[in-house]
Amino acid sequence: MSILPDHSLYAIGMNPSPGAHDLTILFSGEGIPVPRHKIGPAIHDYCLIHTVTDGEGVFECAGRVYPCKAGDTFIILPGVLFSYQAGDRNPWHYHWVAFQEKGAPLLLADMGITAARPVIRCEDPEELKELKSMYNRLRLGFNQSDYPRLEDLQGSAWLRLLLHKLAMLNQQHLPSREGEVADIERGVRQAERLISTQYHQQLSIGQLASTLGYHRAHLSKAFKQHTGLSPMQYLMKVRMEKAKSLMRTSFSIQEIASSVGFNDALYFSKLFRKWTGMTPSEYRSGPAKG
């Protein structure tokens, strides 16, 4: 039953306790608007994803028009002008989810979604059925218990699964060159994350390349192209910046050296001085550092 006069079906689930997470779901729903029902032109400050499960309509984003039918997913990006309108003979039935993400443009770019490529195609009825099930679990999971924060956690989990599914569908339709570029960029980002979390380990470029499934020379070249640093230079930067922050604590120089991946405190001190222009003791006894 619809609560809106311009919809024959409108159902929505609001997150009762949006968390302070990197990925925060706001609401999810489904609807069947009347023929030619239109939203926009408008701009949102959050991301809104619609998946069409029946019927047809038109989505406009950044000045381009995209006819959409069952199996199509269109993504409204934060800060991008959009509008969408149901078909006049067979208005669409769609499911949607809205969320906020601190790095939304980067997250969506990882999925292959940009203002120039805001639509994902799904041609397999079984995969579309799976998407519909995910949306239903999102919407129906809210306001069902006495633990709203846990509903938020559950909703975020289903949202991540939905985004993963859409990303996998999108990869199937990216031009081969875009897929190659995305693969290289993904490998570099994986290497960055690996270094940023495992800097205390005895890492080498060979280990990084082997772990990520890339040839050593290929990874080194791509990493420097994207970051301006070699993997080992990046590792040194992470280690030294972490060491500088640990200098504000009561840990000994030996403990700090060990914490950032150096078993030899003297060698660490030599590298630290080269990096900062001061020995660890001089840095620690000086004014508070930014």
Side-chain angles (χ1 to χ4, degrees), residues 67-168:
C68 295
K69 61 184 185 304
D72 291 338
T73 295
F74 59 93
I75 294 91
I76 296 169
L77 300 165
V80 177
L81 186 67
F82 73 89
S83 67
Y84 53 97
Q85 184 172 24
D88 56 355
R89 295 184 179 181
N90 185 20
W92 48 22
H93 179 177
Y94 48 36
H95 292 66
W96 67 82
V97 61
F99 66 93
Q100 290 178 319
E101 207 270 340
K102 291 181 179 179
L106 182 58
L107 169 66
L108 296 168
D110 283 344
M111 295 172 58
I113 295 298
T114 64
R117 188 182 290 276
V119 177
I120 297 174
R121 312 289 182 185
C122 176
E123 300 170 356
D124 187 332
E126 289 303 311
E127 289 187 315
L128 180 58
K129 184 177 179 180
E130 184 179 349
L131 285 172
K132 182 177 178 180
S133 176
M134 289 181 178
Y135 279 107
N136 286 335
R137 287 179 177 271
L138 272 170
R139 176 173 59 85
L140 297 175
F142 294 134
N143 299 306
Q144 299 296 315
S145 74
D146 295 327
Y147 305 99
R149 291 187 180 278
L150 297 185
E151 290 183 4
D152 170 54
L153 185 63
Q154 175 181 266
S156 295
W158 279 112
L159 175 59
R160 289 178 184 276
L161 290 173
L162 175 66
L163 293 176
H164 176 264
K165 182 66 178 179
L166 290 172
M168 293 301 292

Side-chain angles (χ1 to χ4, degrees), residues 4 7 14 31 39 46 64 73 153 178 187 195-196 206 239:
L4 297 180
H7 283 68
M14 303 293 298
I39 299 291
Y46 53 84
R64 293 187 60 185
T73 295
L153 185 63
E178 288 190 25
I195 291 171
S196 296
R239 284 174 166 174

